[in-house]
Amino acid sequence: MVLLFLVAFAFAACGDDDEPSSQGSSDGAPAQTEEQAQQKESGGCETVEAPAPKPDGGAKKPKRALAAGAKYDVVMRTSCGEITIRLDQKTSPKTAASFANLVDTGFYDGTAFHRIVPGFVIQGGDPTGTGSGGPGYSTRDVPPQDTVYTQGVVAMAKTATEPPGTSGSQFYIVTAPDAGLPPEYAVLGKVVAGQDVVDAIGELGDPASGGAGTPLQPVVIESAELVKG
């Protein structure tokens, strides 16, 4: 399952000339450990192993909506830091309820951001890590025609054959100022804390892989928690 888009992207490669050092600095600062040096090179992300694939499908579709008028945040603890997403019940009530239920059942724990396209999006939520997995059911919230996918917007991925607003479990977070996508993807919510973490993850995609967004290193969602405000 890949996020569909009809825009061309130009990627600029950037490098870090800092080399890890086992020596203390001339001003008496302590020497970097090897782990600290690796985290610096990867934008503060921990070096972790790719998670083992989880079974595809098997989740139960929620039967009830979230409490009307309540505020729900999802706190994702990743190998790059914490990201907090505020769910958009008004625009996508079915999507929000499904996502919240999947979070509560631990569906996202131990999964990876399998697609990272620099300057565009980071995408996760596939239990298999292949880009084709999901919960085994779908919901649908058709987004408004004036929907724009700007930096920090969280929306749901779908296949080319699925109608607008279809959602499974795969989601993406926009890292571009404006992704230029058509209003076909259910809006899950917005990043309200940890945009710097999102941006750090967004730098870990291989520019040479284009829209495939092959990660340069594993980025893992260690846990996700639903918080009711």
Side-chain angles (χ1 to χ4, degrees), residues 28 156 172:
M156 304 301 290
Y172 63 89

Side-chain angles (χ1 to χ4, degrees), residues 9 13 34 38 43 47 57-58 61 64 68 74-76 83 87 99 128 160-161 189 196 213 216-217 225:
F9 300 96
E34 182 178 352
Q38 289 174 341
T47 302
K61 187 174 183 177
R64 292 188 295 180
V74 171
V75 180
M76 286 189 172
I83 303 168
L87 302 185
F99 194 84
T128 70
T161 58
D196 58 329
L216 293 170
Q217 70 177 65
E225 178 186 3

Side-chain angles (χ1 to χ4, degrees), residues 48 112 173:
V48 295
I173 307 176

